[in-house]
Amino acid sequence: MASYKRILVGLDLSEESSQVLEKAGELGKAFDADLSLVHVIEPLTFAYGGDIPMDLSEVQEQLQTQAKEQLRKAADQLNVPAERQHVVLGQPATEIHRLAEEQEADLIVIGSHGRHGLALLLGSTANGVLHGAGCDVLAVRVNVESK
């Protein structure tokens, strides 16, 4: 079995993130590995294609501030220090790959909703991360009903 020393945990900060965090914490303890957390925010201009006639920078800053606070709370559960908590702007799979390489992660842990059919074909963050990662990827099947 592989031994992991640096684990990057991608969180979407939804209620189901606690399940991903729990699994990552177990792995971190089992392997005595350093955990890093990342949440990627897609720039609002990506989502709206620049078609909105207003400056979205203030809204974007508020989203980043809220995400940093939520990530800090998640990190506190596993004693992940501030220097290993990352809120970044960009396309999620791309940014997770970049950070994993930068941190020399040997495992990426992400949540997966287990979509089927058309939703799976259109792609998900988990699928995007899996198909471009330079290290192992663990997709934690999250159960939407559990809390």
Side-chain angles (χ1 to χ4, degrees), residues 24-40:
E26 291 170 6
L27 288 165
K29 282 182 186 164
F31 291 106
D32 192 28
D34 290 332
L35 295 179
S36 295
L37 307 182
V38 62
H39 173 70
V40 183

Side-chain angles (χ1 to χ4, degrees), residues 119-137:
L120 183 61
L121 287 175
L122 293 175
S124 66
T125 298
N127 196 37
V129 170
L130 176 64
H131 290 291
C135 63
D136 290 351
V137 177

Side-chain angles (χ1 to χ4, degrees), residues 27-71:
L27 288 165
K29 282 182 186 164
F31 291 106
D32 192 28
D34 290 332
L35 295 179
S36 295
L37 307 182
V38 62
H39 173 70
V40 183
I41 300 173
E42 289 195 68
L44 291 173
T45 52
F46 283 12
Y48 296 105
D51 292 338
I52 297 177
M54 62 171 51
D55 183 8
L56 296 173
S57 59
E58 192 172 314
V59 175
Q60 191 80 59
E61 283 178 34
Q62 288 174 349
L63 288 172
Q64 284 181 266
T65 300
Q66 289 172 348
K68 284 178 183 175
E69 179 59 22
Q70 285 181 277
L71 194 66

